Amino acid sequence: MHAATSSHPKRILSPQGEQRARGHNFLTLQMASATLLKSSFLPRKSEWFNARPSSSSQPMAVSFTVRAGAYTDELVKTAKTIASPGRGILAMDESNATCGKRLASIGLENTEANRQAYRTLLISAPGLGQYISGAILFEETLYQSTTDGKKMVDVLVSQNIMPGIKVDKGLVPLTGSNDESWCQGLDGLASRCAAYYQQGARFAKWRTVVSIPNGPSALAVKEAAWGLARYAAIAQDNGLVPIVEPEILLDGDHGIERTFEVAQKVWAEVFFYMAENNVMYEGILLKPSMVTPGAECKERATPEQVAEYTLKLLHRRIPPAVPGIMFLSGGQSEVEATLNLNAMNQSPSPWHVSFSYARALQNTCLKTWGGRPENVKAAQDILLIRAKANSLAQLGKYTGEGESAEAKEGMYVKNYSY
Ligand code: 13P
């Protein structure tokens, strides 16, 4: 099964063999987990760079090409599968602290059992995979079982949903800035990604934020872009499709023009640093905020205006090689997020334009559940209604008819954190 053995130092690895061996190598070296595999399977680190045939007439491939290419085909395939017609991402990767706030809103304690019950409800909604191609999980969920003892990851795969993983370690104050923040998580990221891949994850998410009222300062934008680019390169190197998410927060009373201006700056820098870090654009997904006025701006924008500004931004800044744009909902109401997505899909785009919503998929579902076992089915039905509405919006066919008042309620929370 394993193409590489350390007794064949010059042996050429198949891409799959190299891939497996490298994943194993990271695990063994960095997690020191001798039980996962026998060290005799492992190529020496120097062999990664000798993994391409070298002939006298052809120059030896440089090490970068070999390392970046190990998962190329798989990354492209994963990204395309997630960005498939009529489907989007269910973001259910709230950290334990944030999940606690959600549970508190329905009067539940923040225990592992309650988080498990809620996430079991979400992923086992019958037929969810028709509308949802990927689910972003928090680390606890990736390693957790459902309330009836199946691995969460297996349930997702059986629903035709790819498991993904939040890999950032959250936001902390950015010293020297205007009260802005930066995102932690690069230390040890390669070994964590390798372990997550072994556990079944096939894509990753890193969310950093940019605040308009606080600047954004050049320092904060550069730090956000650089962090995303380093993360994206490391995730790809370990077989995970990186979702690149520089969230431009809704906070502020600025108009839509200002959001557009800041978004142009942010995305220019993100792509500049991704190019510098040799990130392969066919194997990434983006998770932008839609271009809207600030939450406290008196002038509101129609879905058509949001679509116009957002598409203009994307056309100016995003190469067509990128397979998918998976928007966050950022505090918009469930219906607003769906209407805006639908407006963006009224004309063809070079990318799959879809959703990766947390609040705009889960809000009414969570309230309907209320922590009661007898409400599980009703809550799952609500989740399926939202997932289907967004699936239709991805296809540009959502009408907005028959939506409940609850689904129209805004969810903006100042300084919201994940
Ligand atoms: P919201 O859709 O609630 O903004 O969540 C986005 C997100 O980043 C979660 O992964």
Side-chain angles (χ1 to χ4, degrees):
M1 186 185 153
H2 296 274
T5 71
S6 53
S7 59
H8 288 277
K10 292 226 169 80
R11 185 160 178 174
I12 294 163
L13 306 177
S14 69
Q16 292 81 2
E18 188 197 16
Q19 185 174 310
R20 271 196 299 273
R22 289 181 47 229
H24 289 162
N25 205 5
F26 271 125
L27 278 175
T28 309
L29 289 172
Q30 303 197 23
M31 295 176 64
S33 175
T35 54
L36 282 172
L37 78 166
K38 293 203 174 97
S39 59
S40 60
F41 293 144
L42 303 174
R44 284 194 300 269
K45 202 164 183 177
S46 58
E47 284 177 62
W48 302 349
F49 309 116
N50 290 329
R52 288 275 164 85
S54 65
S55 75
S56 48
S57 58
Q58 277 195 329
M60 176 76 185
V62 292
S63 58
F64 159 71
T65 312
V66 174
R67 296 200 59 201
Y71 285 101
T72 300
D73 294 348
E74 187 181 338
L75 291 169
V76 172
K77 214 170 141 203
T78 300
K80 273 195 190 149
T81 305
I82 293 172
S84 57
R87 299 206 297 165
I89 295 176
L90 167 61
M92 45 177 285
D93 59 318
E94 297 83 2
S95 63
N96 286 352
T98 307
C99 196
K101 288 185 209 157
R102 294 278 177 85
L103 295 174
S105 76
I106 54 165
L108 282 195
E109 235 184 286
N110 189 14
T111 60
E112 185 176 346
N114 285 338
R115 294 192 295 271
Q116 178 194 35
Y118 179 52
R119 276 138 178 185
T120 299
L121 175 163
L122 292 176
I123 66 166
S124 25
L128 188 65
Q130 199 184 333
Y131 315 117
I132 300 293
S133 51
I136 317 174
L137 310 177
F138 190 59
E139 194 180 59
E140 175 182 274
T141 321
L142 184 72
Y143 291 91
Q144 207 171 33
S145 294
T146 58
T147 44
D148 46 359
K150 297 179 199 131
K151 284 186 181 164
M152 296 265 189
V153 168
D154 292 347
V155 174
L156 286 169
V157 172
S158 73
Q159 292 255 52
N160 197 22
I161 298 173
M162 284 202 166
I165 176 79
K166 170 187 170 76
V167 300
D168 67 72
K169 293 281 184 188
L171 302 163
V172 284
L174 177 63
T175 314
S177 73
N178 183 29
D179 247 344
E180 296 163 278
S181 51
W182 69 288
C183 184
Q184 304 181 110
L186 289 177
D187 284 0
L189 181 60
S191 53
R192 283 196 290 125
C193 285
Y196 297 148
Y197 183 97
Q198 293 291 317
Q199 186 62 20
R202 288 296 176 269
F203 70 102
K205 173 196 131 169
W206 176 286
R207 171 186 179 261
T208 191
V209 303
V210 172
S211 159
I212 296 185
N214 291 16
S217 65
L219 172 68
V221 174
K222 189 176 192 171
E223 173 57 37
W226 178 256
L228 282 165
R230 287 301 309 137
Y231 139 77
I234 293 166
Q236 285 193 333
D237 200 39
N238 291 282
L240 303 180
V241 166
I243 294 186
V244 176
E245 182 180 2
E247 176 170 353
I248 297 170
L249 295 169
L250 268 187
D251 301 68
D253 58 7
H254 52 274
I256 196 166
E257 286 285 351
R258 175 72 183 136
T259 310
F260 179 69
E261 189 186 357
V262 171
Q264 284 197 89
K265 175 82 186 135
V266 169
W267 282 106
E269 293 218 24
V270 170
F271 274 92
F272 174 78
Y273 288 120
M274 282 204 290
E276 213 165 64
N277 281 275
N278 301 304
V279 173
M280 195 245 310
Y281 294 163
E282 290 83 351
I284 62 174
L285 293 167
L286 306 184
K287 185 157 169 168
S289 318
M290 295 178 190
V291 179
T292 64
E296 282 121 320
C297 176
K298 296 212 170 55
E299 253 174 73
R300 304 312 304 161
T302 62
E304 290 68 34
Q305 285 166 324
V306 172
E308 189 192 328
Y309 276 92
T310 308
L311 290 173
K312 191 155 106 181
L313 166 78
L314 298 178
H315 282 285
R316 282 195 182 171
R317 289 292 182 264
I318 313 301
V322 173
I325 315 281
M326 321 298 289
F327 286 103
L328 58 90
S329 60
Q332 302 178 50
S333 77
E334 291 176 333
V335 171
E336 203 181 352
T338 312
L339 282 170
N340 288 341
L341 178 63
N342 188 59
M344 278 187 259
N345 282 305
Q346 295 310 302
S347 52
S349 289
W351 336 266
H352 171 83
V353 176
S354 191
F355 59 94
S356 174
Y357 298 156
R359 283 166 282 178
L361 278 172
Q362 294 182 44
N363 195 46
T364 316
C365 166
L366 177 72
K367 284 188 192 157
T368 306
W369 175 49
R372 294 172 199 276
E374 63 273 25
N375 294 344
V376 165
K377 177 159 181 336
Q380 288 179 329
D381 288 347
I382 295 282
L383 175 66
L384 290 169
I385 287 174
R386 289 266 47 88
K388 185 177 178 186
N390 286 299
S391 162
L392 287 169
Q394 197 292 308
L395 300 167
K397 294 181 180 160
Y398 170 74
T399 62
E401 272 163 34
E403 292 283 13
S404 67
E406 194 124 68
K408 291 180 185 157
E409 264 171 40
M411 285 171 277
Y412 166 70
V413 175
K414 227 176 177 167
N415 301 320
Y416 186 85
S417 67
Y418 265 84

